[in-house]
Amino acid sequence: VQILFVGGNEIQARYDASILDELAAHWPGVEIRFEHTGWSSNWGRDVDRLVKHANQCDAVVIMRMIRTILGRTLREKVRCPWVACTGTGRGMMLQSIQEAAVLAVTQRG
């Protein structure tokens, strides 16, 4: 299962390694790629790449810490299921990724 996590900034990026470790230990077969977009107003230069990658994944997690129009564009253009990450901490990030993994497996049948 491949999941793209989009949103957050350098604070959330600090959690990436521990989340990857926990997923490897408890959720083998789940691959996650983090794209911490920060608050840059230059999101337009990244949107096509993010949409392309998202559409190659089984699910996408979109964090609330994202530029509004970038989030809206992703939700409109991704063809796979997406899950909202409504918190900013490690626990909510991990919970959203796990929810996306379950959703992706369920979608596969």
Side-chain angles (χ1 to χ4, degrees):
V1 173
Q2 294 183 343
I3 298 172
L4 176 64
F5 186 101
V6 183
N9 57 28
E10 64 277 357
I11 294 171
Q12 285 70 40
R14 293 181 195 152
Y15 303 130
D16 292 359
S18 66
I19 289 172
L20 289 170
D21 289 344
E22 186 157 343
L23 287 172
H26 301 287
W27 292 77
V30 174
E31 296 177 19
I32 182 79
R33 176 175 171 182
F34 293 97
E35 290 282 349
H36 298 292
T37 54
W39 297 109
S40 171
S41 60
N42 296 321
W43 62 268
R45 66 179 177 216
D46 296 323
V47 72
D48 290 337
R49 178 182 56 80
L50 291 172
V51 168
K52 181 179 178 182
H53 185 68
N55 284 326
Q56 296 169 347
C57 290
D58 299 298
V60 177
V61 175
I62 301 174
M63 188 172 218
R64 71 178 182 164
M65 292 183 65
I66 192 171
R67 297 295 290 212
T68 302
I69 302 301
L70 175 57
R72 185 176 297 153
T73 302
L74 288 173
R75 290 189 302 272
E76 289 174 358
K77 293 188 176 188
V78 297
R79 295 185 302 265
C80 62
W82 62 270
V83 171
C85 178
T86 58
T88 60
R90 180 191 179 281
M92 190 56 106
M93 290 171 67
L94 182 60
Q95 181 180 331
S96 299
I97 293 165
Q98 291 169 341
E99 183 180 338
V102 169
L103 183 60
V105 170
T106 303
Q107 292 277 327
R108 284 185 177 179

